[in-house]
Amino acid sequence: MRLKISLLKEPKHQELVSCVGWTTAEELYSCSDDHQIVKWNLLTGETSQIVKLPDDIYPIDLHWFPKSLGIKKQTQAEIFVLTSSDGKFHLISKLGRVEKSVDAHSGAVLAGRWNYEGTALVTVGEDGQIKIWSKTGMLRSTLAHQGTPVYSVAWGPDSEKVLYTAGKQLIIKPLQPNAKILQWKAHDGIILKVDWNSVNDLILSAGEDCKYKVWDSYGRPLYSSQPHEHPITSVAWAPDGELFAVGSFHTLRLCDKTGWSYALEKPNTGSIFNIAWSIDGTQIAGACGNGHVVFAHVVEQRWEWKNFQVTLTKRRTMQVRNVLNDAVDLLEFRDRVIKASLNYAHLVVSTSLQCYVFSTKNWNTPLIFDLKEGTVSLILQAERHFLLVDGGGIYLYSYEGRFLSSPKFPGMRTDILNAQTVSLSNDTIAIKDKADEKIIFLFEASTGKPMGDGKFLSHKNEVLEIALDQKGLTNDRKIAFIDKNRDLYITSVKRFGKEEQIIKLGTMVHTLAWSDTCNILCGLQDTRFTVWYYPNTVYVDRDILPKTLYERDASEFSKNPHIVSFVGNQVTIRRADGSLVHISISPYPAILHEYVSSSKWEDAVRLCRFVKEQTMWACLAAMAVANQDMTTAEIAYAAIGEIDKVQYINSIKNLPSKESKMAHILMFSGNIQEAEIVLLQAGLVYQAIQININLYNWERALELAVKYKTHVDTVLAYRQKFLETFGKQETNKRYLQYAEGLQIDWEKIKAKIEMEITKERERSSGSQPTKSTGLKH
């Protein structure tokens, strides 16, 4: 990826340009110390003077009123705030009329920013004050007052906090009075510029110590650049939070959100005092010290999938290269390319007006449809369909271009969604809520309606990243997520009435990805790269989970690596310096998944015998129990030396009725309640009581005996025997109540039990087989 710079031969301004701002993706306003506001039209290449300000007004900062979220009518900004050196800020219309001038600070007003909703304006000045104003320019509050000038300010993603500079310090102050203030030393020189992105929640700062730095919202350092030759005068996040731009003297740099640099350009600009990204994130404009306005396009982005490599060579042209036979195709577009995604044998490209869908089998005839709104901020793909996110909503389309659904939920803000907070599979869409970050909304892909009984998934901590598995049946769909403590959890997506367990899979997990060919999960865990070959093991037999993992040392990936993709058995990881590392994992677990999904148990056993690896046998054991194939489970457990489980499986095989067998398989996986329900539905009350006695669930055993008016004496007898073994006295009031005046006759009880077992045998061998309960694990 690099920047394509365009700079006019002669500057349009006579003095330094102090600030720039985009109205649409093709129109920009610039303000200069020559008191002119100039409009630039990039389509025609024309510039026109909008207004000449009075001679005592030197503009310093400009910010356009944000577009109304979700309201289609207002497609571009109509008014902007201009701060100036005379202590005022001015609200100026698109046509250049000064609507209002407000005395704000003593000394220059150094920065002014609208919040994301456009309901408030913050200004900072040389007098060290931070003031909040209403939309119409009425003073609401003075947020803070300090002794040094405040050079830059930024709103937090939820518009509830403000970040500002104080010399070498950065300060985050919430708008609520008495709320905790966060303050830290960020640079060794005065901080000149800050920016805070609403999508990734990261902070950028630039200082006179010639460094730029990336921070998280708690003030923890994520990246610090090497010192440059000159102070860094400007930084700005791209709208989607994936890139940022850095400006200095004769320097313009394009960087990844983790800090490493994609491109460095040295245009003849003087210092770049202000950088603005266009609304679609494809180009940047810089306000230059020598009167120029520099424009730069982001080109040469690259997408890779299997043997295909797609490169954006120009604004409207892509090159596709097949590395197997070196075949090259050129794709031409009518408008400039904004976003693209290559996965599942399809390339999806969104331009400013249309969406193109190419199949990797045929690059010549794309499917084209018009977009509702121009600026697509995110494209996600699954095997059967893809998802587009823009300012107006979330839209799901099939690869044939058919509109499928558009999920909605209260308080939805599409402008802050990214690949970590939205996930897509063949049947499910998962979206993390922004208002309450502990909540994940789940929708059916085909209808856009909430999943199951309409309940959302709620976790005890804030969720950072979510990912749906890609293969298998809808009923078995799982979602993995990482929370604020960096713990990895897995849970089922289908939710009907009963609360699904959220089970912890790992700790200190920084990044995760599901394979696109089978349900294998990989993640970077502290200092290890971990692959969960069969994550569902946690639902079947948690004891053998460690045996189903593959782990290797991850120190070669350096600090803060990120998993880019997991295609087939290839995992691609991007290191903190931007380099890509490819890891191949064993192909055998994927083949095992394939055999099991098509119930080829003999082939699965044969494969494990061929590979001779404990992880494979452990995966097969869990898969067999999950699919209730106890013969295969017995072989697999014997191979990994779990003798107690082999004996238990043998005892299950000898049970008289299939309901009993099913109940004991459920108990094997720890689903005691379900096992009990199976037995009670089949009318095997004694067996349901017996499993509770075996598990020492004395309360439940007595409850069932009393409810069904049978075997109360059996329960009391076993309870008495249990207490005698430990030399204890009965203290439970219910047991004392039922034991009153009851003589326990073991001979009688044994005869009753024998009778129950005989009855069950007769039932199962009788001509009329019992109906299956339909309860599946």
Side-chain angles (χ1 to χ4, degrees):
M1 207 184 295
R2 66 179 185 86
L3 291 172
K4 191 176 171 193
I5 299 276
S6 51
L7 203 59
L8 295 178
K9 285 197 175 80
E10 290 300 318
K12 290 287 175 189
H13 290 283
Q14 272 72 54
E15 296 283 339
L16 73 84
V17 183
S18 54
C19 46
V20 287
W22 298 86
T23 54
T24 65
E26 299 291 359
E27 188 180 76
L28 177 102
Y29 279 49
S30 64
C31 302
S32 160
D33 278 6
D34 62 6
H35 313 292
Q36 288 188 62
I37 298 178
V38 172
K39 178 167 88 175
W40 303 68
N41 187 326
L42 296 192
L43 284 177
T44 59
E46 291 169 359
T47 57
S48 54
Q49 182 181 321
I50 293 294
V51 66
K52 191 166 188 325
L53 299 166
D55 285 351
D56 57 340
I57 295 180
Y58 289 90
I60 293 174
D61 192 21
L62 165 161
H63 194 212
W64 281 95
F65 188 79
K67 287 186 192 181
S68 302
L69 301 173
I71 297 172
K72 300 280 194 300
K73 280 181 223 159
Q74 192 183 353
T75 52
Q76 59 188 58
E78 294 299 331
I79 193 165
F80 63 92
V81 62
L82 185 75
T83 69
S84 61
S85 56
D86 59 356
K88 293 181 178 161
F89 69 81
H90 314 273
L91 299 177
I92 303 175
S93 77
K94 200 164 185 284
L95 302 170
R97 194 169 76 247
V98 179
E99 304 284 349
K100 192 168 190 181
S101 292
V102 179
D103 270 315
H105 295 265
S106 52
V109 185
L110 296 175
R113 293 277 133 194
W114 297 105
N115 68 359
Y116 292 100
E117 294 76 36
T119 52
L121 170 75
V122 62
T123 61
V124 295
E126 284 184 326
D127 56 1
Q129 293 194 359
I130 295 95
K131 294 184 176 180
I132 309 287
W133 307 81
S134 74
K135 188 175 162 181
T136 51
M138 309 294 288
L139 181 64
R140 280 197 192 153
S141 65
T142 300
L143 193 65
H145 188 288
Q146 57 180 47
T148 54
V150 181
Y151 288 102
S152 188
V153 67
W155 286 94
D158 51 5
S159 298
E160 296 289 321
K161 304 186 189 84
V162 169
L163 162 76
Y164 59 91
T165 69
K168 299 173 185 179
Q169 309 266 333
L170 283 179
I171 300 171
I172 296 176
K173 188 168 167 60
L175 297 189
Q176 284 93 13
N178 307 326
K180 190 168 172 259
I181 297 171
L182 186 64
Q183 178 171 353
W184 71 96
K185 186 186 177 206
H187 287 262
D188 296 326
I190 287 173
I191 301 168
L192 299 175
K193 266 283 192 297
V194 292
D195 197 9
W196 194 345
N197 187 262
S198 62
V199 179
N200 61 28
D201 200 20
L202 299 180
I203 291 167
L204 275 177
S205 63
E208 286 189 348
D209 59 357
C210 307
K211 290 180 185 175
Y212 61 89
K213 298 187 181 187
V214 184
W215 312 85
D216 68 7
S217 54
Y218 301 101
R220 293 181 294 221
L222 301 179
Y223 180 83
S224 173
S225 75
Q226 295 298 318
H228 288 56
E229 291 169 38
H230 303 281
I232 309 287
T233 44
S234 53
V235 282
W237 280 111
D240 65 0
E242 290 300 316
L243 304 169
F244 65 87
V246 178
S248 179
F249 182 74
H250 285 348
T251 304
L252 187 59
R253 199 183 262 282
L254 179 69
C255 302
D256 184 78
K257 67 177 175 191
T258 50
W260 56 274
S261 183
Y262 274 110
L264 172 67
E265 298 293 335
K266 291 281 192 179
N268 185 16
T269 53
S271 286
I272 298 175
F273 289 114
N274 188 310
I275 292 175
W277 282 84
S278 65
I279 293 151
D280 58 17
T282 59
Q283 51 192 335
I284 47 185
C288 310
N290 61 3
H292 274 294
V293 173
V294 63
F295 292 97
H297 278 101
V298 180
V299 291
E300 290 186 20
Q301 278 144 296
R302 194 170 290 155
W303 297 267
E304 288 173 2
W305 181 77
K306 291 194 173 170
N307 52 314
F308 292 101
Q309 190 181 59
V310 178
T311 311
L312 181 71
T313 48
K314 294 177 189 157
R315 296 176 66 187
R316 297 190 181 91
T317 312
M318 279 181 159
Q319 185 193 66
V320 181
R321 188 161 160 260
N322 184 342
V323 295
L324 291 181
N325 56 11
D326 260 349
V328 173
D329 289 277
L330 279 181
L331 314 178
E332 300 278 349
F333 301 94
R334 199 182 71 187
D335 310 290
R336 69 180 184 286
V337 172
I338 291 176
K339 276 267 180 276
S341 172
L342 174 64
N343 215 337
Y344 295 103
H346 286 89
L347 170 69
V348 182
V349 180
S350 76
T351 67
S352 47
L353 298 170
Q354 292 171 313
C355 181
Y356 294 72
V357 182
F358 296 87
S359 164
T360 54
K361 295 184 181 79
N362 180 5
W363 296 105
N364 302 323
T365 50
L367 193 132
I368 306 169
F369 59 89
D370 290 341
L371 290 168
K372 297 183 180 175
E373 257 201 27
T375 312
V376 170
S377 58
L378 179 67
I379 303 174
L380 284 184
Q381 286 176 262
E383 193 180 9
R384 292 183 200 151
H385 41 234
F386 64 94
L387 187 85
L388 297 180
V389 179
D390 66 22
I394 298 166
Y395 310 101
L396 191 71
Y397 292 92
S398 70
Y399 286 116
E400 291 76 50
R402 199 173 73 253
F403 173 72
L404 298 174
S405 67
S406 176
K408 289 182 173 59
F409 57 88
M412 180 168 85
R413 265 184 69 185
T414 55
D415 58 324
I416 53 172
L417 296 175
N418 64 4
Q420 279 74 48
T421 54
V422 188
S423 187
L424 177 69
S425 71
N426 282 338
D427 41 54
T428 315
I429 302 169
I431 304 168
K432 187 188 91 168
D433 190 16
K434 183 69 187 172
D436 181 354
E437 298 202 358
K438 296 175 182 173
I439 287 174
I440 301 167
F441 291 105
L442 301 163
F443 301 96
E444 284 176 12
S446 52
T447 60
K449 293 188 174 125
M451 205 74 173
D453 53 7
K455 278 192 187 152
F456 44 73
L457 197 160
S458 180
H459 185 52
K460 56 181 187 288
N461 289 324
E462 285 87 350
V463 175
L464 296 181
E465 188 174 340
I466 62 175
L468 288 161
D469 64 8
Q470 296 298 317
K471 288 287 177 179
L473 303 169
T474 311
N475 286 341
D476 299 333
R477 182 71 57 235
K478 299 284 187 288
I479 184 168
F481 60 87
I482 300 173
D483 71 4
K484 198 171 95 175
N485 298 336
R486 292 280 170 205
D487 291 333
L488 172 64
Y489 291 86
I490 188 168
T491 186
S492 181
V493 162
K494 280 276 181 187
R495 306 182 152 254
F496 284 104
K498 74 181 179 95
E499 195 55 45
E500 282 291 344
Q501 284 178 296
I502 296 178
I503 303 178
K504 192 172 180 176
L505 266 184
T507 55
M508 292 310 290
V509 179
H510 301 288
T511 170
L512 80 161
W514 286 97
S515 165
D516 65 340
T517 50
C518 57
N519 290 338
I520 295 177
L521 179 69
C522 72
L524 284 161
Q525 212 180 346
D526 211 9
T527 57
R528 299 184 312 286
F529 169 70
T530 309
V531 182
W532 289 265
Y533 284 135
Y534 186 59
N536 283 10
T537 309
V538 290
Y539 290 98
V540 181
D541 182 358
R542 215 181 289 193
D543 304 343
I544 63 166
L545 181 67
K547 290 182 180 173
T548 64
L549 304 184
Y550 164 72
E551 290 189 321
R552 62 177 274 180
D553 182 44
S555 54
E556 60 181 289
F557 310 132
S558 70
K559 207 175 140 202
N560 292 338
H562 175 72
I563 297 172
V564 180
S565 66
F566 187 177
V567 178
N569 64 332
Q570 274 264 314
V571 182
T572 306
I573 293 172
R574 197 178 282 285
R575 289 165 41 164
D577 61 1
S579 58
L580 290 172
V581 183
H582 301 279
I583 300 174
S584 287
I585 62 165
S586 166
Y588 298 119
I591 301 169
L592 187 65
H593 273 273
E594 210 174 295
Y595 283 154
V596 169
S597 63
S598 45
S599 298
K600 295 180 181 170
W601 294 104
E602 286 176 9
D603 290 351
V605 171
R606 212 172 292 129
L607 177 71
C608 291
R609 283 184 178 142
F610 167 71
V611 178
K612 296 188 183 72
E613 271 184 18
Q614 198 179 28
T615 45
M616 292 285 285
W617 282 115
C619 289
L620 181 62
M623 289 170 179
V625 175
N627 289 283
Q628 297 179 3
D629 186 307
M630 293 328 256
T631 314
T632 310
E634 190 181 352
I635 298 167
Y637 275 116
I640 54 172
E642 301 272 343
I643 305 305
D644 52 335
K645 287 172 185 171
V646 176
Q647 286 178 333
Y648 186 66
I649 291 167
N650 263 327
S651 71
I652 293 175
K653 283 184 180 173
N654 299 330
L655 290 168
S657 69
K658 67 175 179 186
E659 285 87 357
S660 273
K661 283 178 184 168
M662 191 170 175
H664 279 268
I665 292 169
L666 286 168
M667 279 177 63
F668 185 91
S669 304
N671 300 318
I672 289 130
Q673 264 180 312
E674 283 182 36
E676 189 187 285
I677 291 165
V678 168
L679 292 170
L680 292 174
Q681 282 182 347
L684 301 172
V685 179
Y686 164 69
Q687 283 80 350
I689 293 169
Q690 189 62 50
I691 62 170
N692 279 299
I693 291 172
N694 291 349
L695 293 165
Y696 305 117
N697 286 347
W698 297 110
E699 293 272 343
R700 181 66 183 153
L702 185 61
E703 195 183 310
L704 286 172
V706 171
K707 185 179 173 183
Y708 290 96
K709 301 188 174 64
T710 176
H711 286 285
V712 177
D713 54 344
T714 310
V715 177
L716 291 169
Y718 275 106
R719 172 76 172 180
Q720 191 182 352
K721 193 175 172 187
F722 168 74
L723 291 170
E724 280 170 5
T725 310
F726 290 98
K728 301 275 184 191
Q729 287 297 312
E730 182 61 82
T731 53
N732 189 309
K733 283 180 184 168
R734 286 199 69 186
Y735 272 92
L736 288 169
Q737 178 193 334
Y738 286 103
E740 246 175 79
L742 189 79
Q743 286 297 315
I744 287 166
D745 183 350
W746 272 104
E747 292 301 318
K748 206 169 156 189
I749 287 167
K750 278 175 185 166
K752 259 168 88 176
I753 293 171
E754 279 297 322
M755 213 165 84
E756 289 284 0
I757 294 165
T758 314
K759 214 191 300 178
E760 187 185 349
R761 266 203 198 98
E762 281 167 7
R763 258 184 66 179
S764 60
S765 60
S767 57
Q768 193 65 34
T770 10
K771 269 188 185 172
S772 167
T773 56
L775 249 174
K776 278 201 175 81
H777 172 50

